[in-house]
Amino acid sequence: MKRSGPLLTLLAGLLLGLFMLSLNATTGEKPTSSYVKPPSSGKPSTKASPSTPPARTSPPPSPSPARTPVPEGVYTGRTDDDSSAVAITVRGDKAIAYVCDGHNIESWLQGAVNDDGSLRLTGKDGASLEGRAKGAKAIRGTARVGSSSHPFTIKKAKKSSGLYRANSTVAGARIEGGWIVLPDGKQVGILRRDGKPSPAPAIDPETGAVTVDGQQLTARPVTP
């Protein structure tokens, strides 16, 4: 009887185990897992997105170069080769010029003055003069008379210097005279008697008075 105790205990344990297995099969319960998914932090991702490059802007257009108009007035001087004198009278958008060597070559020219400070004048027999304002008190250009070209730079004339002209009839001869009074007071001009050229006599720059073949004439300032 003493040896049956352990057997009874073992039998009771087996019966209890069978009972528990039967109970789980009846209720359908399964053992739960101990793993728990960690909760989401709820914070947005800190991964930086690629930045958008700044839009390229075109550089501002370069300003147009400054243009110097030709101020009104009379400009006188000599050619670079010192062979002739040049005078230009500017008024508004028009100009008259005179090129003269003081002996037998001369040309009267006229034309337009452009807003950009340039001018182009033309005369008889293909004569021409092209120039451009150089600052506010000078004109740089080239005069072409006959087969010769004469570069020049002439300055704005002061009082008494300038460009003068006279037309009259003396002793039945047609008189045509042109004078350039230079800044130093010297005069360059040609007087034509019925088309024949000769050096012009001096005029009085203050009054324009000039004596031709014993008769007094008046040379007047030239304006367009």
Side-chain angles (χ1 to χ4, degrees):
M1 295 295 290
K2 290 182 181 179
R3 293 179 180 178
S4 61
L7 294 174
L8 292 173
T9 302
L10 179 59
L11 182 59
L14 291 172
L15 293 173
L16 178 62
L18 291 173
F19 174 76
M20 292 300 295
L21 291 173
S22 177
L23 179 63
N24 289 338
T26 303
T27 59
E29 292 182 357
K30 295 181 180 180
T32 58
S33 174
S34 61
Y35 172 76
V36 179
K37 184 180 180 181
S40 175
S41 63
K43 295 182 179 179
S45 174
T46 58
K47 184 178 180 181
S49 60
S51 58
T52 303
R56 294 184 180 181
T57 57
S58 300
S62 301
S64 300
R67 295 178 173 181
T68 303
V70 183
E72 291 188 343
V74 183
Y75 299 78
T76 62
R78 298 192 67 87
T79 57
D80 292 354
D81 60 9
D82 201 35
S83 65
S84 303
V86 180
I88 302 175
T89 299
V90 177
R91 175 168 291 183
D93 61 352
K94 299 183 183 301
I96 290 179
Y98 183 50
V99 181
C100 177
D101 70 351
H103 301 287
N104 56 11
I105 297 175
E106 66 174 349
S107 182
W108 289 93
L109 310 99
Q110 61 182 351
V113 178
N114 302 313
D115 293 339
D116 63 356
S118 66
L119 50 86
R120 177 176 174 78
L121 314 180
T122 57
K124 292 181 179 180
D125 301 323
S128 66
L129 184 150
E130 295 181 1
R132 181 176 292 275
K134 185 178 180 182
K137 296 182 179 181
I139 295 176
R140 175 69 180 168
T142 300
R144 297 176 177 83
V145 180
S147 60
S148 301
S149 295
H150 305 282
F152 63 84
T153 299
I154 56 178
K155 296 182 179 180
K156 199 169 186 179
K158 297 181 180 180
K159 185 178 180 180
S160 76
S161 61
L163 176 58
Y164 300 83
R165 191 171 191 175
N167 290 291
S168 186
T169 300
V170 176
R174 178 66 180 171
I175 301 297
E176 298 175 297
W179 291 263
I180 298 173
V181 181
L182 298 168
D184 60 5
K186 293 181 179 180
Q187 299 182 14
V188 179
I190 288 179
L191 187 75
R192 291 181 177 272
R193 294 176 176 86
D194 290 333
K196 296 180 179 181
S198 63
I203 64 171
D204 180 352
E206 297 296 331
T207 63
V210 57
T211 301
V212 177
D213 297 337
Q215 183 173 330
Q216 184 170 311
L217 305 177
T218 300
R220 302 188 182 279
V222 177
T223 58

